[in-house]
Amino acid sequence: MTQEFHRAPRIEVPGTFNFRDLGGHRTDDGGAVAFGRLYRADGLGRLGPDGVAMLQEMRIVSVVDLREEKEVANIPDAVDGLGARYSHMPLLGNRYFPLDKDIPDRIVLDAPSLPALYAAMIETAGPRFVDVITHIADIEQDATVFHCSAGKDRTGLVAAFLLSILGVERDAVVDDYALTEEYLGDDFRAALRSHFSSAGISSVSAMATEAKPEWLADVLDRLDREHGGVEGYLVDHGLRDGVTDRLRASLTEARTPTS
């Protein structure tokens, strides 16, 4: 029998397509990831007043933008008035969509594909994964949202790493990643096409909307082989003692006893 995992509904924040709560996943100690503390999303450049008001109601005090500088320059987050701390933490180090396309260390994929992009992230972004996860661990009250453009690849790997650290079962982590593909429909593709055009990118390919479970599973298997798992990968790239403990203490809750 196929096991049913928690499936986070899309939160209909105006101007977004893939905004959801990481809470609700069961953890290996019998607890769960807490609701209302950690959100993942696509771009926040089209929130408008109603979207900002909704994020205020969610008590979001930290916005982590994983996009490259060119993406941010073209469509900055529309979070004025939110009152949250905005942190631009480009996961690919401004080497994938740089403002200067002629930089010497630009990341160029030999054969453009999402598995190739994920491999590049694993090979080049270890310290930046650590910075993002440490930053999230430092927010001990209210809520954080982290996002990229589609809320799928950079956001998807950060979400997978966080859920793994919090003790969520591997299959549930992969299922959460793959859920993105269901939420990125025609409206999202139209908005993304406009965004890519303004960023000087010629077309929206399948890379923009696909999230196949085997792609994330391959990443996690690689981290198992090479680092002993997600936490080992992060430790090997500078994760300090105590960060994972703070995450678990802050972002998980015990199972509620039943009578």
Side-chain angles (χ1 to χ4, degrees):
M1 182 175 66
T2 302
Q3 184 175 357
E4 292 293 328
F5 299 113
H6 170 71
R7 291 171 62 82
R10 183 173 76 87
I11 302 172
E12 296 187 7
V13 175
T16 71
F17 301 89
N18 190 21
F19 198 114
R20 61 191 199 260
D21 193 336
L22 279 185
H25 293 281
R26 306 308 301 182
T27 55
D28 54 14
D29 61 357
V33 181
F35 284 108
R37 292 295 322 283
L38 191 58
Y39 297 93
R40 54 176 294 173
D42 53 309
L44 303 180
R46 298 180 175 86
L47 288 173
D50 290 343
V52 170
M54 193 166 176
L55 266 57
Q56 287 176 320
E57 292 174 3
M58 294 177 185
R59 301 177 64 87
I60 288 175
V61 298
S62 175
V63 175
V64 179
D65 189 343
L66 304 172
R67 298 175 299 162
E68 302 285 272
E69 59 186 358
K70 188 170 186 177
E71 297 168 283
V72 174
N74 279 282
I75 305 183
D77 278 0
V79 293
D80 287 349
L82 179 58
R85 174 184 176 186
Y86 171 82
S87 301
H88 181 213
M89 306 183 76
L91 196 62
L92 286 161
N94 294 319
R95 294 173 56 200
Y96 192 53
F97 292 139
L99 285 172
D100 178 4
K101 63 181 178 60
D102 295 322
I103 61 171
D105 61 346
R106 182 183 180 189
I107 295 173
V108 178
L109 305 180
D110 293 334
S113 69
L114 285 171
L117 177 61
Y118 293 175
M121 281 196 272
I122 294 304
E123 290 158 11
T124 67
R128 288 182 290 278
F129 277 115
V130 169
D131 289 344
V132 170
I133 286 168
T134 301
H135 176 89
I136 290 171
D138 289 339
I139 308 298
E140 297 182 349
Q141 296 180 351
D142 296 319
T144 298
V145 58
F146 60 94
H147 76 91
C148 51
S149 289
K152 181 174 73 72
D153 304 313
R154 289 163 288 188
T155 298
L157 289 192
V158 170
F161 288 5
L162 285 164
L163 291 175
S164 297
I165 288 170
L166 295 176
V168 176
E169 180 181 339
R170 170 72 58 87
D171 288 346
V173 172
V174 171
D175 191 69
D176 178 80
Y177 161 83
L179 186 60
T180 285
E181 195 167 312
E182 296 183 23
Y183 294 150
L184 300 184
D186 291 340
D187 289 344
F188 169 79
R189 281 187 284 271
L192 193 65
R193 189 174 294 110
S194 171
H195 166 70
F196 272 25
S197 176
S198 70
I201 301 165
S202 60
S203 65
V204 177
S205 69
M207 285 177 65
T209 55
E210 290 185 345
K212 304 301 182 190
E214 58 268 25
W215 295 340
L216 178 62
D218 286 346
V219 168
L220 298 177
D221 287 345
R222 174 181 178 176
L223 298 188
D224 284 347
R225 292 193 307 271
E226 297 180 2
H227 302 276
V230 168
E231 190 169 345
Y233 169 78
L234 296 170
V235 168
D236 288 346
H237 286 89
L239 188 72
R240 300 191 307 273
D241 290 345
V243 173
T244 56
D245 289 340
R246 292 207 311 276
L247 283 168
R248 291 168 185 148
S250 176
L251 297 175
T252 62
E253 54 193 10
R255 184 194 297 269
T256 303
T258 57
S259 56

